[in-house]
């Protein structure tokens, strides 16, 4: 069996001494999913920090030792880490779960700007279960686990239902407090993604009360907007958004 280690954080220091970007990846993803964007932001002069979430990038049973409260703690700790490094201006960006956590940070602490991609306004246990099942099979295959080992791990998802309910509750709570966000917000979705994500993007846009907000769909993008066709346009627009508030 291949030994897989949890990914290390990405920290790229930029030319700007006071403006950093906290970039948050998706549920069952890793820092590698946003590495291209992190490098582009850094080349544009921004410091970029991408923290890993506990359990992510490991086998399914290890991921399920944690829940969204732990990943929220990871996001808060990453923000504080940048503050302790001396960064006065911190922008937050995130994909999917990372977008939920980015919005939640903006509701609770001072941030310069917020940019979210493919961010759901609701999650249900069935959909999250499907995602974990896919992850369990993928990671099991990658690690050389036997099919019976993979099936046993996937069978344990039913015992993780309290963690999935926590995910649902925190998502809803975050969406209930969007009116507390005072920083400029950019909301992005892929037009090749499931239709619910366009609906989610519109919901987030409509429920942010101040006028400094923008909404944009990308014709070629799927759910993971930081990779695949269309990612270069997303990167360019993210940099332009940050530059407007530099």
């Amino acid at each position: 069996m291949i030994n897989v280690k949890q990914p290390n954080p990405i920290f790229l220091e930029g030319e700007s001494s006071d403006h950093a970007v906290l970039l948050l990846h998706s549920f069952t993803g890793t820092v590698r999913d946003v590495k291209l964007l992190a490098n582009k932001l850094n080349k544009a002069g921004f410091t970029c920090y991408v923290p890993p979430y506990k359990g992510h990038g490991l086998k399914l049973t290890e991921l399920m030792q944690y829940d969204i409260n732990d990943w929220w703690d990871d996001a808060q700790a990453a923000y504080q880490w940048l503050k302790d490094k001396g960064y006065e201006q911190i922008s937050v960006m995130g994909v999917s779960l990372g977008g939920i956590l980015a919005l939640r940070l903006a509701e609770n602490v001072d941030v310069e700007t917020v940019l979210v991609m493919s961010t759901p306004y609701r999650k249900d246990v069935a959909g999250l279960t499907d995602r974990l099942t896919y992850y369990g099979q993928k990671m099991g295959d990658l690690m050389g686990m036997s099919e019976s080992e993979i099936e046993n791990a996937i069978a344990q998802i039913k015992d993780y239902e309290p963690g999935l309910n926590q995910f649902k509750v925190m998502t809803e709570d975050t969406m209930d407090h969007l009116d507390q966000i005072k920083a400029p917000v950019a909301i992005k979705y892929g037009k090749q993604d499931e239709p619910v994500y366009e609906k989610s993007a519109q919901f987030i846009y409509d429920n942010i009360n101040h006028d400094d907000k923008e909404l944009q769909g990308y014709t070629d993008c799927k759910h993971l907007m930081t990779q695949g066709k269309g990612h270069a346009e997303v990167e360019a627009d993210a940099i332009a958004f940050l530059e407007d508030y530099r």
Side-chain angles (χ1 to χ4, degrees), residues 66-85:
Y66 306 98
D67 62 27
I68 196 169
N69 294 295
D70 297 300
W71 308 324
W72 169 230
D73 288 344
D74 291 336
Q76 293 179 97
Y79 173 87
Q80 189 58 52
W81 188 83
L82 285 170
K83 294 290 285 185
D84 293 344
K85 293 280 285 185

Side-chain angles (χ1 to χ4, degrees), residues 151-246:
E151 290 174 359
N152 180 62
I154 290 172
Q156 295 179 49
I157 295 173
K158 66 179 182 296
D159 298 324
Y160 186 66
E161 191 165 311
L164 299 182
N165 277 315
Q166 283 294 319
F167 198 126
K168 179 177 180 290
V169 168
M170 186 178 288
T171 301
E172 292 171 354
D173 182 70
T174 300
M175 297 304 151
D176 285 344
H177 294 91
L178 292 172
D179 59 348
Q180 296 180 9
I181 297 176
K182 304 305 178 187
V185 182
I187 305 142
K188 302 181 181 297
Y189 66 93
K191 294 186 178 181
Q192 300 299 317
D193 199 359
E194 296 175 19
V196 67
Y197 286 95
E198 180 175 357
K199 183 178 180 180
S200 293
Q202 188 66 57
F203 177 91
I204 294 167
Y205 181 86
D206 290 343
N207 284 275
I208 291 171
N209 286 343
H210 66 92
D211 294 330
D212 213 347
K213 58 184 179 179
E214 60 183 64
L215 172 64
Q216 187 172 358
Y218 292 78
T219 301
D220 295 327
C221 286
K222 297 182 180 180
H223 186 70
L224 187 55
M225 302 179 70
T226 54
Q227 292 185 357
K229 194 173 182 182
H231 76 85
E233 184 181 0
V234 174
E235 292 163 358
D237 288 349
I239 292 167
F241 175 71
L242 288 173
E243 292 284 3
D244 284 343
Y245 301 97
R246 199 166 195 173

Side-chain angles (χ1 to χ4, degrees), residues 23-27 29-31 33-34 50-53 56 94-95 97-99:
L23 180 54
L24 302 168
H25 67 78
S26 66
F27 178 52
T30 73
V31 300
D33 294 342
V34 294
V50 188
Y53 306 147
H56 281 63
V95 182
L97 167 60

Side-chain angles (χ1 to χ4, degrees), residues 85-188:
K85 293 280 285 185
Y87 290 96
E88 297 297 328
Q89 297 173 284
I90 299 175
S91 293
V92 288
M93 294 186 182
V95 182
S96 200
L97 167 60
I100 296 169
L101 298 176
L103 292 169
R104 196 168 183 84
L105 278 170
E107 292 168 1
N108 287 277
V109 297
D110 291 330
V111 299
E112 193 72 12
T113 56
V114 189
L115 187 150
V116 297
M117 297 163 275
S118 306
T119 300
Y121 77 120
R122 294 286 184 269
K123 292 301 291 185
D124 60 60
V125 170
L128 291 167
T129 297
D130 289 345
R131 185 64 201 166
L132 285 178
T133 301
Y134 174 81
Y135 178 84
Q137 186 68 54
K138 177 183 174 182
M139 289 302 297
D141 290 340
L142 177 66
M143 298 175 70
M145 295 169 61
S146 70
E147 198 57 38
S148 62
E149 288 174 316
I150 294 171
E151 290 174 359
N152 180 62
I154 290 172
Q156 295 179 49
I157 295 173
K158 66 179 182 296
D159 298 324
Y160 186 66
E161 191 165 311
L164 299 182
N165 277 315
Q166 283 294 319
F167 198 126
K168 179 177 180 290
V169 168
M170 186 178 288
T171 301
E172 292 171 354
D173 182 70
T174 300
M175 297 304 151
D176 285 344
H177 294 91
L178 292 172
D179 59 348
Q180 296 180 9
I181 297 176
K182 304 305 178 187
V185 182
I187 305 142
K188 302 181 181 297

